[in-house]
Amino acid sequence: MVFVLCILIAYAQAGLSALPGEDAKGTNMALISIASHAGVLLVAHDGIADRERFLVLIRRIAVMGGLYACLGLVQFFTGQNFVDAIQIPGLVSSGSGGVDVRGGFLRPQATARHPLEYAAVLSMILPLALSLSLVPSRWSMVRRAWPAALVAVAAVVSMTRSALLGIVVGVGILVPTWDRKTRRAALLLGAAALVAMYFLVPGLVGTILGMFAPGDPSLASRTDSYDAFWSYFSIHPVFGRGLGSMSASYHIFDNQYLDLLIEIGVVGTAAFCLLVLVAAVTSFRARRVERIGKLGPALGGSVIAGALLCGSFDAFAFPQAVGMLFLCLGLCGSIGNFAAPPTSGAGQVAVAEPPHRSWAQIVARRWYVFLPVLLLSASPVPSWTRTATGVYYTKVTVEFQAPPAATKNNPLRTEAWSLVGYAAMVQRLYADEYAPAPVRPNSAPLFGADLTDSESVSLRNDGGQWQTNFDAPLIDVEVVAGDPSTVRERASATTAELIRLAGSTQDCLGIWRQAQITAVQRPTQATVTYVAPRLRSAWIGWGAASLGLAFGSSALLDRSMFAGRERRLRREGRGRPPEKDRRTKSAVYGANQVRDGERLMVIDHSRVQDSPVITAVLYADRTGELTIDARKESFYEASPSALREALMQRVIGVAASLGRPVRMTAMDESGSAVLIVSPDGEAEPADDSWNRGEDRGEPLRVLDFETTVREDRRSFLTQEVVEEPSTVGWRGFLTGIGIRMGPGKAERSERADIQAVSQHWPGPRTIAVVNGRGGVGKSMTTICLSATFARYGGAGVLAEDNNQTRGTLGWRTEKGPHDASLLELLPQVGRLLSPGAQAADLARYVHHQTRDKYDVLRSRPELLAEQQRFDADTVDAVQAVATKYYRLILIDSGNDESDAMWLRMIHHANQIVVPTTTRRDSAESAALLLDALYERGGHYASLALNAVVIVSQENPTVPDRIVEEIAAGFKPIARAVVKIPFDPAMKDGLLAYGSLMPKTRRAWLAAAATVARGL
């Protein structure tokens, strides 16, 4: 994280500087690249579930490395680069387009961009492949060792010093970890391979030894670059000039560490080195892990080899090399996870791992750290951006021209090479008299070196850093300063001095005027350009760094406080080993410890108050109720442990919101207990609160606090549930082309909602859609919920119109092949309830929705209310028919809350849904209804507490602020609130689920899932 923060700070520094457009793009691309590599590191660190999957990944890396090496060997022996022959539409090759040659031998590169990158990747794979060949498995030794053999041979014939250094370092780290037999066998095989290569490839050994000769030009070019490095480094030594801003147009150092010192400064480079060091140490400590311990030193060797090779070329410019390095860094963390010490053992009490809290929870708990750090770190930004200014820049050229008429007495020849030589002499004379610029880029403009007041005078070089080409008699003059007038004056003065030197030198030699070489300025009038800083990038970089620092500080404090508590508990419980073949069950987060039969309390009980009164009840069907000051919340989870965790998380949230511990009474079939729950996630029993229940041998498992029990037996039939791959978005696209991708957060949420809506319950369920005001969307809500439940959960869903005054449910749904309604059904209730009645008989009276798969029982809106007003017995009869033939009944209610039909509907309801629009009178009507039901107590109060409120956006002009305000007003008095966006298909006319926009369908799915979780 420190490394990433340093990169963000350097990115902000680049935004405050006046950089050329190409360098600005380079910083953006470098930021994206580091983000992708950091993602690889984190996935490798935390995404490997067990040791078997870890071995599978290492095995695949070794096999792919063997194939990678094989391709390079084919290139070496054939001299053909087969990769560039493959043309992929829309893509171009980023390689060299051929195979390099050194000492008469071809240098392979496989799919890499350069042989150096190829060698670096092989050097990091070799230790893994070697160690994997020594891990026992069902495969033969030959099958395990062939990737290592190919990688080793390919690394040697790659003809790069980097590969040989990587082999020496990586294998050298592994050798001490091998037993004597393995070391002897490796030595014999290595010697045999070298002898075979000496005879099979004549001259190879001599060429390899020649690469390390003192006069090698590539070594000289690296050492000669140190002076240029100090010039660039001294400008921004602490945090650098921005990762990705030091392109080849400035200087090629062929040393990633020098590039890092210039781009992210001393702090960032130290963070990178520390990252490598921590990863290597972590992997070495894991060498005793069961099954995969031998891979620990191998990963350390790979990381150290990759880090060492960063000193021989600019590794971050080569995606395969840096990607492999970050993958190995992540794997070091992963194997370190498997090597984590157990939480209990001899001489220790059991201390659980800290809770996995979300960032939001951490910030809520450590806000007193988050806010000051954020404000302090972000406070300098406004002043920096106000003082950041751009620069003015110009570039002119002094052109040397041959004399119009030369004589035989002219000692200066007029050929092109002599003009270039004379221009070089004039440039040297000027440089001896005037101080040159501290930095001279290869081809980039002078201001790109982050110089704000300087000038440069240089002979035009049309070549590069290593292959110069001075073929034109031109001297380039560049001037950068803080105002345009200064730039013009200095440019004019410099060119005038160059022209004077060109003439005065020839005058001293006595050359006639008409025979002299002349110098002229091009263009005659200098054009001054203003280069502005990128303040937006500076804000983004520093803002992201400030947020990262604030989040990191909060998380570090959170972790440190837990570690302190853990050390204290271990110190207090030292010397009390647990019984053999027994386990200690601790409270939810392991806070309760036992010593000498007494509990060690870590929560300050004096801070607990009488309110709120919290009661948790767990039922055998994996459902539960949590009551907070008479407000009930319902829970349903897939397992008892998940239910306990959900209840505890809710109570911890209450404690966190109050900032103090709270008391909770927990009950299940085994008994009851009173627990004290703290905002930190700790839980422990209150004094004298343990009640096992009458004649019950099994202790209370409500929250699994401390008791010695038999270890749970793992079923032989238990199978790991494999998550289905993603099917939507870019993840789904990659899955479709064969790259299996797991679903994202949004897709997982949608799958969870679909699972909840698809659930079938034991016995029918009735949902009443109620609001005492008309025109708030009761019929719309009934239709959309019915369609959602039927589409995902299958048949057996009925939408019933219980409105005696102009019910519109029938108007907005599909009409069947008849005109029957509730009035036609009533005379047939006895027959439909008889044992001989069949489900198909009901089709005479309900209207099936052919597209949405649910049935509608209509009323007759054209009749007067008096003709459709029924008593409680009639409502009971209709309900009996509905519950016999349907698993789920959604009732669209009327507006008269005193009517017998409305009251009896509430009596039968298992849950109520209260729709409202964004009109305040509609929302107030819904809130008053919930208040009235709650005040009646009993079943009515339970329905109010478990109610789901649906807030529909009345029209697209309603601002989101109003929607959020209405929704927030219902959260204290209802179980859940769901917001539905405006959709023209819901406004008028026939309403079908398929006609809704995708975002609206997703909102109704979320609403139906929220309702289902309360059933």
Side-chain angles (χ1 to χ4, degrees):
M1 182 176 180
V2 177
F3 179 57
V4 174
L5 287 177
C6 293
I7 291 175
L8 290 172
I9 295 173
Y11 180 78
Q13 173 62 49
L16 295 173
S17 305
L19 294 179
E22 290 300 319
D23 296 336
K25 293 178 182 177
T27 59
N28 294 334
M29 291 302 299
L31 201 61
I32 296 173
S33 176
I34 284 295
S36 65
H37 295 317
V40 171
L41 187 153
L42 293 175
V43 169
H45 187 285
D46 297 324
I48 303 177
D50 51 47
R51 296 170 186 174
E52 188 60 35
R53 298 304 303 169
F54 184 88
L55 272 176
V56 169
L57 178 58
I58 298 295
R59 189 176 297 119
R60 289 176 179 174
I61 292 174
V63 171
M64 295 305 296
L67 298 176
Y68 184 71
C70 183
L71 177 59
L73 291 174
V74 172
Q75 291 175 343
F76 177 79
F77 288 108
T78 63
Q80 300 295 322
N81 189 330
F82 300 98
V83 176
D84 289 336
I86 303 174
Q87 299 296 327
I88 301 176
L91 301 177
V92 294
S93 173
S94 59
S96 60
V99 182
D100 291 344
V101 177
R102 170 174 277 176
F105 291 98
L106 303 173
R107 301 177 67 189
Q109 64 187 55
T111 59
R113 299 173 61 182
H114 192 275
L116 277 171
E117 182 179 27
Y118 176 67
V121 173
L122 291 178
S123 299
M124 286 183 277
I125 293 178
L126 180 59
L128 299 177
L130 278 174
S131 295
L132 189 65
S133 65
L134 301 177
V135 175
S137 72
R138 57 186 176 86
W139 291 352
S140 65
M141 185 63 186
V142 173
R143 190 174 178 182
R144 298 200 308 267
W146 72 264
L150 288 178
V151 169
V153 174
V156 172
V157 303
S158 65
M159 307 302 296
T160 61
R161 282 180 298 270
S162 301
L164 299 177
L165 290 174
I167 291 175
V168 171
V169 171
V171 177
I173 290 173
L174 287 181
V175 169
T177 66
W178 293 343
D179 55 44
R180 181 175 300 177
K181 181 179 179 181
T182 303
R183 287 198 293 266
R184 186 183 302 113
L187 179 62
L188 292 176
L189 287 175
L194 289 176
V195 171
M197 292 175 64
Y198 179 81
F199 288 104
L200 294 176
V201 188
L204 178 64
V205 176
T207 302
I208 293 175
L209 294 176
M211 291 189 298
F212 295 92
D216 187 81
S218 60
L219 286 176
S221 68
R222 288 173 170 84
T223 56
D224 292 343
S225 297
Y226 292 152
D227 291 337
F229 159 74
W230 285 111
S231 300
Y232 284 102
F233 172 71
S234 60
I235 299 174
H236 295 293
V238 180
F239 288 107
R241 53 177 278 138
L243 187 66
S245 63
M246 193 67 187
S247 63
S249 61
Y250 293 95
H251 199 91
I252 301 175
F253 295 103
D254 261 348
N255 187 324
Q256 186 58 55
Y257 291 105
L258 297 184
D259 286 333
L260 288 178
L261 284 169
I262 295 172
E263 293 180 337
I264 59 176
V266 174
V267 178
T269 307
F272 174 72
C273 295
L274 184 62
L275 174 64
V276 172
L277 179 62
V278 170
V281 171
T282 301
S283 63
F284 278 111
R285 288 183 173 179
R287 61 185 180 275
R288 293 185 177 87
V289 177
E290 184 181 357
R291 291 201 65 192
I292 60 175
K294 290 184 178 180
L295 296 175
L299 282 169
S302 296
V303 168
I304 293 176
L308 177 67
L309 296 186
C310 285
S312 64
F313 74 115
D314 46 340
F316 279 32
F318 297 91
Q320 290 186 10
V322 67
M324 188 65 199
L325 176 59
F326 274 77
L327 175 60
C328 291
L329 290 172
L331 291 174
C332 288
S334 179
I335 198 172
N337 293 337
F338 297 125
T343 58
S344 63
Q348 296 179 340
V349 296
V351 180
E353 286 297 313
H356 295 283
R357 302 186 180 95
S358 66
W359 285 110
Q361 291 175 316
I362 292 176
V363 171
R365 288 158 42 79
R366 309 299 175 194
W367 61 268
Y368 52 86
V369 174
F370 179 85
L371 289 179
V373 172
L374 179 63
L375 294 176
L376 287 175
S377 58
S379 58
V381 179
S383 61
W384 289 348
T385 53
R386 281 195 304 268
T387 57
T389 58
V391 296
Y392 291 90
Y393 167 80
T394 190
K395 179 179 180 180
V396 295
T397 301
V398 176
E399 180 182 354
F400 289 78
Q401 299 175 349
T407 67
K408 62 181 180 180
N409 295 324
N410 185 2
L412 295 174
R413 303 297 297 268
T414 59
E415 287 84 352
W417 64 266
S418 63
L419 292 176
V420 173
Y422 187 69
M425 182 190 70
V426 173
Q427 186 271 336
R428 178 57 59 189
L429 289 173
Y430 183 89
D432 290 342
E433 188 172 349
Y434 300 96
V439 174
R440 174 57 207 158
N442 290 336
S443 58
L446 185 63
F447 67 85
D450 212 7
L451 299 175
T452 58
D453 188 8
S454 185
E455 66 178 60
S456 171
V457 177
S458 60
L459 190 65
R460 175 75 61 84
N461 178 16
D462 291 328
Q465 178 178 329
W466 294 322
Q467 294 179 340
T468 58
N469 183 17
F470 302 103
D471 59 352
L474 303 173
I475 295 179
D476 291 326
V477 177
E478 297 179 83
V479 180
V480 59
D483 63 272
S485 60
T486 302
V487 171
R488 290 192 184 93
E489 292 172 2
R490 292 174 64 175
S492 299
T494 302
T495 54
E497 180 64 13
L498 289 171
I499 293 172
R500 187 193 67 79
L501 287 173
S504 62
T505 303
Q506 297 179 81
D507 290 339
C508 293
L509 295 175
I511 300 174
W512 297 347
R513 288 284 181 179
Q514 60 270 29
Q516 288 186 3
I517 297 174
T518 58
V520 295
Q521 177 180 326
R522 296 282 188 270
T524 57
Q525 183 65 36
T527 302
V528 179
T529 304
Y530 177 70
V531 184
R534 298 175 300 125
L535 298 182
R536 181 181 298 178
S537 298
W539 274 101
I540 293 174
W542 196 265
S546 299
L547 283 173
L549 184 62
F551 278 119
S553 302
S554 304
L556 181 61
L557 176 64
D558 198 66
R559 181 79 183 190
S560 299
M561 293 186 70
F562 180 87
R565 288 193 297 270
E566 179 182 351
R567 287 192 298 269
R568 183 176 71 252
L569 291 174
R570 289 184 185 277
R571 188 166 54 250
E572 292 174 351
R574 186 175 294 120
R576 309 293 177 187
E579 296 182 39
K580 185 178 181 181
D581 296 330
R582 298 280 178 164
R583 65 170 178 164
T584 301
K585 285 197 171 184
S586 60
V588 175
Y589 291 126
N592 293 327
Q593 310 303 331
V594 174
R595 187 180 66 182
D596 296 336
E598 297 182 0
R599 297 189 182 277
L600 302 178
M601 300 300 181
V602 298
I603 303 176
D604 185 3
H605 290 214
S606 63
R607 298 182 60 200
V608 180
Q609 300 180 12
D610 293 336
S611 63
V613 178
I614 303 176
T615 303
V617 182
L618 289 81
Y619 300 107
D621 60 354
R622 304 188 300 280
T623 62
E625 286 184 353
L626 183 67
T627 305
I628 304 175
D629 281 342
R631 298 276 182 168
K632 290 186 179 180
E633 300 178 15
S634 299
F635 291 80
Y636 173 79
E637 297 295 338
S639 65
S641 60
L643 178 62
R644 289 191 294 271
E645 178 68 15
L647 287 166
M648 277 302 301
Q649 287 293 343
R650 179 70 178 95
V651 178
I652 291 169
V654 173
S657 65
L658 296 173
R660 58 176 173 81
V662 296
R663 180 182 287 104
M664 175 183 69
T665 302
M667 295 179 288
D668 72 355
E669 57 197 14
S670 63
S672 64
V674 179
L675 302 180
I676 305 299
V677 181
S678 77
D680 295 334
E682 312 290 355
E684 60 189 26
D687 296 336
D688 302 325
S689 65
W690 177 243
N691 172 22
R692 299 172 68 94
E694 250 184 65
D695 300 327
R696 298 188 186 276
E698 174 69 16
L700 175 68
R701 301 175 58 86
V702 173
L703 295 170
D704 280 352
F705 62 82
E706 194 122 36
T707 180
T708 303
V709 297
R710 177 185 175 186
E711 185 75 46
D712 291 340
R713 184 183 70 82
R714 183 177 179 180
S715 172
F716 296 105
L717 303 179
T718 302
Q719 295 182 353
E720 182 181 357
V721 178
V722 180
E723 186 177 37
E724 295 181 5
S726 177
T727 58
V728 298
W730 64 270
R731 296 171 180 270
F733 171 77
L734 292 178
T735 300
I737 62 175
I739 305 175
R740 184 185 178 95
M741 296 292 295
K745 182 178 180 181
E747 189 174 0
R748 282 196 178 96
S749 175
E750 183 174 0
R751 290 182 179 182
D753 287 348
I754 291 174
Q755 183 181 17
V757 172
S758 304
Q759 177 72 36
H760 283 209
W761 304 274
R765 297 290 191 272
T766 300
I767 300 169
V769 182
V770 295
N771 190 323
R773 181 182 174 86
V776 297
K778 292 193 293 292
S779 297
M780 174 189 72
T781 300
T782 305
I783 292 170
C784 291
L785 289 179
S786 299
T788 305
F789 278 110
R791 279 185 171 234
Y792 289 105
V797 178
L798 175 68
E800 177 187 339
D801 197 345
N802 192 51
N803 194 342
Q804 71 275 22
T805 56
R806 304 289 187 269
T808 60
L809 185 64
W811 287 347
R812 303 209 62 187
T813 53
E814 186 180 350
K815 179 179 176 297
H818 54 76
D819 296 321
S821 67
L822 180 64
L823 293 177
E824 284 73 28
L825 172 71
L826 289 176
Q828 306 298 326
V829 166
R831 184 176 65 85
L832 292 172
L833 293 177
S834 65
Q838 298 178 339
D841 295 338
L842 199 61
R844 302 172 184 266
Y845 312 104
V846 296
H847 300 261
H848 183 64
Q849 306 302 297
T850 57
R851 288 176 292 179
D852 291 334
K853 312 305 180 187
Y854 67 96
D855 293 342
V856 176
L857 181 58
R858 295 183 167 192
S859 65
R860 298 283 294 273
E862 71 275 11
L863 299 180
L864 295 175
E866 185 63 29
Q867 297 175 267
Q868 298 186 104
R869 193 179 299 277
F870 307 116
D871 56 15
D873 293 338
T874 305
V875 175
D876 291 344
V878 174
Q879 180 71 8
V881 173
T883 54
K884 177 180 179 179
Y885 293 99
Y886 295 96
R887 64 181 181 88
L888 184 63
I889 302 98
L890 292 98
I891 305 178
D892 182 9
S893 68
N895 303 327
D896 187 357
E897 300 164 8
S898 63
D899 185 74
M901 294 176 62
W902 195 94
L903 293 172
R904 201 59 181 169
M905 172 195 67
I906 292 295
H907 171 78
H908 290 296
N910 300 106
Q911 187 175 170
I912 62 172
V913 175
V914 185
T916 181
T917 65
T918 48
R919 289 175 56 92
R920 296 188 181 276
D921 52 355
S922 300
E924 184 64 18
S925 173
L928 290 174
L929 173 62
L930 290 174
D931 290 342
L933 291 174
Y934 178 73
E935 290 171 1
R936 289 190 182 187
H939 176 63
Y940 298 96
S942 177
L943 289 177
L945 292 172
N946 198 35
V948 175
V949 177
I950 295 182
V951 181
S952 301
Q953 190 176 10
E954 189 175 19
N955 58 69
T957 62
V958 176
D960 293 339
R961 174 182 56 82
I962 300 298
V963 179
E964 294 293 340
E965 181 181 341
I966 296 294
F970 282 101
K971 288 182 179 179
I973 61 175
R975 175 171 63 87
V977 183
V978 182
K979 293 166 288 187
I980 305 295
F982 173 80
D983 194 316
M986 297 191 301
K987 196 68 176 174
D988 295 302
L990 190 69
L991 178 55
Y993 186 84
S995 64
L996 302 177
M997 292 187 294
K999 67 175 182 179
T1000 312
R1001 292 199 297 268
R1002 180 66 185 93
W1004 280 115
L1005 174 60
T1010 305
V1011 173
R1013 293 186 179 103
L1015 295 176

